[in-house]
Amino acid sequence: MPELPEVEALAYHLRTHAVGRVVTRVDVASLTVLKTVRPGPADLHGREVTGAARYGKHLDVVLGDLHLVVHLARAGWLRWSDALSAAPPRPGKGPVALRVRLSDPEGRQAPGFDLTEAGTKKGLAVWIVHDPGEIDPVARLGPDALDLDTAGLARLLRGRTARLKTVLTDQSVLAGIGNAYSDEILHTARLSPYATAGRLDDGSVERLSEAMREVLTSAVDRSVGQEAARLKGEKRSGLRVHGRTGLPCPVCGDTIREVSFAERALQYCPTCQTGGKPLADRRLSRLVK
């Protein structure tokens, strides 16, 4: 799933390549991705791209007083092309859900981007609105993970009884962090994913705050400026524990362990994070303190 760094990089890519161009056509290959009716795709025709922004893990393509807001979900992606095919995508065929064609001042190419989604479980969502705040998932977002200082994080965690991993990935509490970067942040902070969020002492909160800034800022720095097609590989190359089950921890050499749930898994290092104790690999594992 694209998280804060990748979405920030996609917004940067659009600001670099799309701003100033005019929408010439929008092809919808999957009606299920559209979560709004009016304004519709045809209302984007002839509008200039004036900016691109990010709200948590939501991408906002700004077209004057309209916004094309995208949530890429688990398997969605934005694929930029300097020369799109002249043929529209075929509904129900292939991964393309929506295509936005843009103008070329020289009239020789048809640049633009496809919104694609792999797999059978569909979650890609697109809204066309006058104000992103009209979108419920955007309106319910907590503070952005890169906007919180240590004191703000301490206030956010105070009184919360959920596991730390759960709090970090709850977008209504803290926006932008998903499964992968929460694993990386917790490893860097040397904290158990099962620690109770509201019971962290001051030193742990400070380590967590520093780890959030370090992991996310480093990932943004690596990602921004990369071509959209290379961002997934760039993300994987920077991960130290997530997706590395069975490999040695790059800090202490212990074996990276995994806890599997119904639809996802977390990875951690017992030596660095849980006092050497492996977490039971079942959904109702007890907390390791």
Side-chain angles (χ1 to χ4, degrees), residues 25-34 72 75-81 84-85 87-101 112-119 122 124-126:
R25 198 169 91 196
V26 178
D27 297 315
V28 180
S30 174
L31 290 174
T32 61
V33 306
L34 286 175
L72 295 168
W77 196 243
L78 183 148
R79 190 167 63 195
W80 175 269
S81 175
L84 287 169
S85 168
R90 296 173 60 190
K93 303 292 184 180
V96 178
L98 185 141
R99 173 171 292 168
V100 177
R101 295 174 180 274
F113 59 88
D114 288 332
L115 296 177
T116 67
E117 187 169 28
K122 304 300 183 182
L124 178 67
V126 176

Side-chain angles (χ1 to χ4, degrees), residues 204-231:
S204 296
V205 173
E206 184 172 359
R207 293 203 313 275
L208 181 61
S209 179
E210 291 174 354
M212 282 174 53
R213 286 193 295 272
E214 176 186 336
V215 170
L216 295 176
T217 300
S218 175
V220 169
D221 290 344
R222 291 196 312 271
S223 301
V224 166
Q226 295 281 357
E227 293 294 324
R230 299 178 59 184
L231 286 174

Side-chain angles (χ1 to χ4, degrees), residues 157-162 164 194-202 204-205 287 289:
L157 296 177
R158 190 174 299 134
R160 297 190 181 275
T161 58
L164 191 52
Y194 284 0
T196 303
R199 294 181 183 173
L200 297 185
D201 58 30
D202 291 346
S204 296
V205 173
L287 280 75
K289 301 179 181 179

